[in-house]
Amino acid sequence: MDWGTLHTFIGGVNKHSTSIGKVWITVIFIFRVMILVVAAQEVWGDEQDDFVCNTLQPGCKNVCYDHFFPVSHIRLWALQLIFVSTPALLVAMHVAYYRHETARKFRRGEKRNEFKDVEDIKKQKVRIEGSLWWTYTSSIFFRIIFEASFMYVFYFLYNGYHLPWVLKCGIEPCPNLVDCFISRPTEKTVFTIFMISASVICMLLNVAELCYLLLKVCFRRSKRAQMQRNHPNHALKESKQNEMNELISDSGQNAITGFPS
Amino acid sequence: MSWMFLRDLLSGVNKYSTGIGRIWLAVMFIFRLLVYMVAAEHVWKDEQREFECNTRQPGCENVCFDYFFPISQVRLWALQLIMVSTPSLLVVLHVAYREGREKTHRKKLYVSLGTMDGGLWYTYLISLIVKTGFEIGFLVLFYKLYHGFRVPYLMKCDLKPCPNTVDCFISKPTEKTIFILFLVITSCLCIVLNFIELSFLVLKCFIKCCLQKYSKKLKSSVC
């Protein structure tokens, strides 16, 4: 069980995402997950071993380390990536539910003119419309909330994104105010800034995707309203023709199945 | 043999689960297994090396560590994940048994192998009850062994060969407390999902039975 499994889960959502969504998934896995696994974990590997306090008092180092790093950067990033990726599963579940319902209707004989068989339903790309649009938009909204929250928690816990090379600690059992030295503070600062920047880019991509989806819906609605205004008879004829077609196909199916619906 | 094996086994269960069962699997995989592997395991990595007692007496640290942590929290967590995942395999075994029966008799005995009716419904119900039992059992065990879900930064120890009551300091207590709380919350979420699924299955069966009885009554009154 590792990041590859998460990639498999989220990769499935890729098919039903917008282009910006696909870019977002790529940024997440290449610039964040991969960097976390191949680089950041090495940098933070010896974080407690090489955290040294200027005292021989047993327990002082443990207590000071725990006070300055209540949660390690690495773990916080791992949790952030997991939480930020999971709203995409809402979309995956909705698509799975939609396909399940469509397959059920197909087996009852309702959508035979749209699909050839059940496999066709599974291969079809589901468009982001109707209730799926709401699910997709909510997932982007939650992503933004999680990203912002984790960035704030980071800032709050570590008093900024810069790691100092020395920290002063006077918590019991330390006998007085001792100097504690963090291992590799500059390298850690560099990676922290990199991860924060990637986080900001992902947030901007999510905001852009949200705006794109909202604009698309507004544009579609105004186009429909314009069409109705310009060609009211045409629009009415079209909707009546659609109703007729549905009635014909329903009665045709009833003739085949042999009882009224 | 690693967590991938468990993941592959559980993926097979997905086909025969209800909708809520699939949500339970997603929560298991992502919020429990994945968090355990990529984050929690590393927090407890150096737990004994960094466990420090305020004494130079040899053996005191070992004895105190063993007393306070009879089994490491992270190992208990791993055991919980394994025990909680395995009842789902009962369902897979039952479906395989159905498949075997159909092959032996060389005819279709069931509507479909994965349809939850008859014996499979009971197997699914039993697996849910056993899963919930394990979850609650492990949470209670955790609470009793470690006197709560908090990891203190300091523990006092006076076992032999420690010369007197010494202070022992645990490494990363805050981070460990955060992850244990995370474990407890996800465990409770899984328990809630199991209860909802259980109620849903029982209710569905009850409604089906009532409807069948009603339609039988109607038919007999018409005849």
Side-chain angles (χ1 to χ4, degrees), chain B residues 27-70:
Chain B
V27 169
M28 262 305 278
F29 275 145
I30 294 175
F31 292 105
R32 297 177 78 180
L33 272 170
L34 185 62
V35 167
Y36 173 85
M37 286 212 69
V38 306
E41 243 184 350
H42 303 286
V43 178
W44 273 268
K45 194 174 57 174
D46 52 6
E47 59 176 325
Q48 196 172 1
R49 210 156 23 103
E50 298 288 344
F51 181 79
E52 218 176 344
C53 290
N54 190 4
T55 179
R56 292 179 77 162
Q57 170 63 46
C60 179
E61 265 180 24
N62 283 17
V63 156
C64 294
F65 182 84
D66 185 62
Y67 175 74
F68 292 124
F69 303 108

Side-chain angles (χ1 to χ4, degrees), chain A residues 156-193:
Chain A
F156 177 74
L157 273 179
Y158 301 113
N159 297 320
Y161 301 123
H162 170 81
L163 268 97
W165 60 278
V166 69
L167 290 161
K168 306 255 180 218
C169 176
I171 309 165
E172 226 186 297
C174 302
N176 48 29
L177 203 68
V178 301
D179 292 336
C180 291
F181 303 90
I182 299 167
S183 79
R184 302 193 246 203
T186 311
E187 197 168 5
K188 286 177 179 170
T189 305
V190 166
F191 274 100
T192 304
I193 292 174

Side-chain angles (χ1 to χ4, degrees), chain A residues 224-236:
Chain A
R224 216 179 285 161
Q226 211 179 30
M227 235 180 80
Q228 276 188 347
R229 259 185 274 129
N230 291 343
H231 304 283
N233 291 334
H234 178 69
L236 195 63

Side-chain angles (χ1 to χ4, degrees), chain A residues 37-175:
Chain A
V37 170
V38 308
Q41 273 180 343
E42 302 293 325
V43 176
W44 269 267
D46 54 4
E47 59 177 326
Q48 198 177 359
D49 284 343
D50 289 345
F51 181 80
V52 170
C53 288
N54 190 5
T55 179
L56 287 175
Q57 171 62 45
C60 179
K61 183 183 113 157
N62 279 12
V63 156
C64 293
Y65 181 84
D66 184 59
H67 178 256
F68 291 119
F69 303 107
V71 184
S72 169
H73 290 67
I74 294 272
R75 253 77 68 182
L76 214 51
W77 282 327
L79 283 176
Q80 182 183 17
L81 286 168
I82 291 170
F83 274 88
V84 155
S85 309
T86 39
L89 288 178
L90 287 174
V91 177
M93 282 185 206
H94 192 132
V95 167
Y97 170 76
Y98 170 82
R99 282 190 175 148
H100 173 77
E101 286 297 303
T102 313
R104 207 158 56 96
K105 285 183 183 160
F106 182 83
R107 278 189 211 108
R108 277 208 304 234
E110 283 178 28
K111 293 204 174 193
R112 298 267 169 178
N113 50 343
E114 280 180 51
F115 304 102
K116 274 182 258 146
D117 58 13
V118 184
E119 286 306 312
D120 225 19
I121 297 172
K122 288 189 181 154
K123 286 187 198 141
Q124 182 214 28
K125 183 187 159 167
V126 182
R127 291 188 64 186
I128 304 175
E129 287 170 345
S131 57
L132 185 61
W133 183 91
W134 286 102
T135 309
Y136 197 84
T137 318
S138 323
S139 78
I140 297 176
F141 181 72
F142 279 116
R143 268 188 238 161
I144 296 171
I145 300 278
F146 285 139
E147 290 272 22
S149 314
F150 272 94
M151 277 172 62
Y152 174 72
V153 164
F154 227 100
Y155 189 88
F156 177 74
L157 273 179
Y158 301 113
N159 297 320
Y161 301 123
H162 170 81
L163 268 97
W165 60 278
V166 69
L167 290 161
K168 306 255 180 218
C169 176
I171 309 165
E172 226 186 297
C174 302

